[in-house]
Amino acid sequence: MIAAISARGRRAVLTAVLAVAAPACGDAAATRRSPAPPRSLAPQEPAASPGNVDGGAPRSERRGDQELARASGDAPETQAPERALPTACADDTACGYDPASERCGADPRLNRQPPITDQGIVCYCDAGACALLHVVPVPCEGDHDCAVAHEPRPHPVRATPERPHEKGRPCRDFTMSTTCERTNICTLRRHACPAR
C-alpha cells in the first residue's frame, strides 16, 4: 500500500514539474535565433589595407613566401663572391691551401701541406706567386715502374726511358728514391743524408 502511494506521489510530482517547465521551454525555443547560413569554402579576397594597396597578399606574407621559395630552391639565390686570397710569396713556406676554394694562397691562416710521399696537394711558390700541384696516385707492379720528378716540386711519377727508376746508392747517387709499396702505389722516399 505504501509502495503504491509513493509511486502515485512520484508521478504527480513529475507531472507538476513538466507542466511548469513546458511553457518555459517553448518560450526559449521561440526566442532562439535562427541558424546562420553555411559559409562558403571558397577563399575570400583579402581586403585592401594601408600596407596592402594592390589588394593582394600583405607585404609581410609576400616576403615570407619569397623566403620560403628561396629556401626550397625555387628562386635563384645570389652566391657569395669568392674571397680574394693573397698569393705573393718569397718561398714555399709562405704558401698554404684553402679547402673552401681549392686554391693556394699566402694567407698565414691557410693549411700548410706536408711534402708529397705518394699523393696529395702541394702549395709552392712559383715566380713570386703561390701555385698548386695536385699529385694523383701512380700505380706500379715493382720499383722499376716508379721514378722521381723534381719539377715543380719532388713527387713520384711513372718511370719512362727519359726518366728511369733511380740506380746507385742512396746519398751518393741520389737523395730521393721511389719504391712500389704493397698498396701498388709509387712512394717517394727522402733519404737523411749527411751534409756535404
Side-chain angles (χ1 to χ4, degrees), residues 141-175:
E141 292 180 5
D143 290 351
H144 59 277
D145 291 331
C146 305
V148 177
H150 292 274
E151 298 297 328
R153 293 298 180 269
H155 61 281
V157 293
R158 187 156 187 82
T160 62
E162 297 78 30
R163 186 183 280 134
H165 179 69
E166 309 77 42
K167 292 179 181 172
R169 287 174 45 189
C171 295
R172 188 186 75 177
D173 300 313
F174 50 80
T175 58

Side-chain angles (χ1 to χ4, degrees):
M1 183 80 173
I2 295 171
I5 292 170
S6 62
R8 272 191 217 132
R10 271 193 227 129
R11 267 191 226 121
V13 170
L14 282 173
T15 305
V17 168
L18 288 173
V20 171
C25 289
D27 294 343
T31 58
R32 194 177 294 150
R33 279 190 249 154
S34 62
R39 290 187 181 177
S40 170
L41 296 177
Q44 297 179 354
E45 290 295 322
S49 66
N52 181 17
V53 179
D54 58 355
R59 283 188 192 142
S60 59
E61 287 180 20
R62 278 182 278 164
R63 201 176 311 125
D65 291 343
Q66 290 169 353
E67 289 170 6
L68 282 173
R70 207 176 294 126
S72 66
D74 293 342
E77 203 168 313
T78 55
Q79 294 182 354
E82 280 191 2
R83 160 172 82 116
L85 294 174
T87 57
C89 59
D91 56 22
D92 290 354
T93 58
C95 299
Y97 183 67
D98 178 27
S101 64
E102 298 181 349
R103 292 181 300 156
C104 292
D107 191 320
R109 295 169 295 183
L110 298 180
N111 300 332
R112 292 324 187 246
Q113 303 300 309
I116 290 287
T117 56
D118 53 10
Q119 58 187 303
I121 290 168
V122 177
C123 288
Y124 63 98
C125 189
D126 181 35
C130 291
L132 173 67
L133 170 65
H134 188 257
V135 178
V136 297
V138 179
C140 58
E141 292 180 5
D143 290 351
H144 59 277
D145 291 331
C146 305
V148 177
H150 292 274
E151 298 297 328
R153 293 298 180 269
H155 61 281
V157 293
R158 187 156 187 82
T160 62
E162 297 78 30
R163 186 183 280 134
H165 179 69
E166 309 77 42
K167 292 179 181 172
R169 287 174 45 189
C171 295
R172 188 186 75 177
D173 300 313
F174 50 80
T175 58
M176 285 181 267
S177 63
T178 51
T179 56
C180 185
E181 296 298 315
R182 286 184 298 175
T183 54
N184 292 97
I185 293 176
C186 292
T187 303
L188 177 66
R189 296 181 176 273
R190 291 170 172 82
H191 300 284
C193 300
R196 292 181 181 176

